Amino acid sequence: MRTSRKLSVALACPEGTWPHPDWPAPDDPYVGRVVSLRPPPPFRVPGGVDVVVLRCAEPVDSLRELRAGGVPVIVVGPQRDAETIVEVFRGGAGYLVEGDYCTCMLSSAVVGATIGHTYLSPAACAALREGARQVTTEDTALERLRGQLSPRERQIMELLSTGLGAQEIGLRLRLSEKTVRNNLSNIYAKLDARGGTDAVLRWLGAAPVLRV
């Protein structure tokens, strides 16, 4: 996936410095420019910024303010607990756990955010799954929920829960993007979900568990 122009990213780091001073690399195919937002919050995002990367240990309040400006946000933070990650994910932002991503992954998350993808690093996905596992060991609600979906729909949800979009899912499953989107519409109806974020939270068992 390539964008028609390179993206502009704003960095918001209220609690420290940005750990990747050499990002983006000159040959980065997606990100062309980064600007630093001056702390403390509330941050003012200048015009022309495509995505904000918020590096923060307690991101929820700052995320709410940034999202109010309508610019996609990716959170980078040390928290690995399911509750924090769900709050961020529910707020419409991607989440990369410190030490669990590379700059190439960061660039992919940035370009994905511009087209509505909510990217989670592997540790963030694992935290959601572990949170769901712990409270559903003796509870069949999640099993019943997933049982409403066909085998193909379950495949699609597994991929959607890793942060992939319809186009990438289609490539993985050798389906057209239109077919994937039709399946997603059916999935949302079966799960009584308002959209992709809500569906993933229900699929992982995080929504009923954490009451989001």
Side-chain angles (χ1 to χ4, degrees):
M1 183 195 319
R2 287 183 177 271
T3 56
S4 58
R5 64 175 179 83
K6 289 196 174 184
L7 302 171
S8 177
V9 177
L11 304 177
C13 304
E15 299 163 1
T17 58
W18 178 243
H20 308 294
D22 297 329
W23 180 82
D27 60 348
D28 190 300
Y30 305 128
V31 182
R33 182 176 74 103
V34 297
V35 296
S36 295
L37 303 183
R38 291 185 177 182
F43 294 103
R44 294 188 178 183
V45 181
V49 167
D50 298 291
V51 178
V52 175
V53 176
L54 170 65
R55 183 174 185 248
C56 186
E58 302 292 339
V60 176
D61 289 341
S62 294
L63 173 60
R64 190 177 297 113
E65 294 169 356
L66 288 169
R67 288 286 294 171
V71 179
V73 180
I74 298 167
V75 174
V76 176
Q79 304 289 355
R80 293 172 178 253
D81 63 284
E83 186 171 3
T84 298
I85 294 167
V86 166
E87 285 294 331
V88 171
F89 191 52
R90 187 76 177 195
Y95 192 93
L96 303 177
V97 176
E98 292 277 14
D100 188 49
Y101 69 94
C102 62
T103 52
C104 290
M105 189 184 297
L106 176 59
S107 293
S108 295
V110 166
V111 73
T114 65
I115 54 175
H117 295 187
T118 308
Y119 196 100
L120 298 175
S121 71
C125 287
L128 290 184
R129 291 179 185 279
E130 179 62 18
R133 186 192 67 78
Q134 289 177 358
V135 297
T136 56
T137 301
E138 300 178 357
D139 188 356
T140 60
L142 182 61
E143 183 179 346
R144 289 198 301 269
L145 182 75
R146 292 182 172 186
Q148 298 179 61
L149 306 185
S150 69
R152 173 66 78 191
E153 290 169 343
R154 289 196 290 271
Q155 284 183 311
I156 289 173
M157 278 308 304
E158 282 291 343
L159 295 173
L160 186 71
S161 69
T162 66
L164 297 182
Q167 184 179 36
E168 291 83 358
I169 291 172
L171 290 173
R172 295 282 185 94
L173 300 180
R174 297 182 179 180
L175 300 171
S176 70
E177 184 175 351
K178 181 179 179 181
T179 297
V180 173
R181 292 191 182 280
N182 288 339
N183 275 274
L184 286 172
S185 295
N186 293 334
I187 289 168
Y188 298 160
K190 290 180 180 181
L191 300 185
D192 192 25
R194 294 186 295 272
T197 297
D198 200 27
V200 169
L201 291 175
R202 292 173 186 271
W203 173 257
L204 295 176
V209 172
L210 299 177
R211 303 181 186 184
V212 296

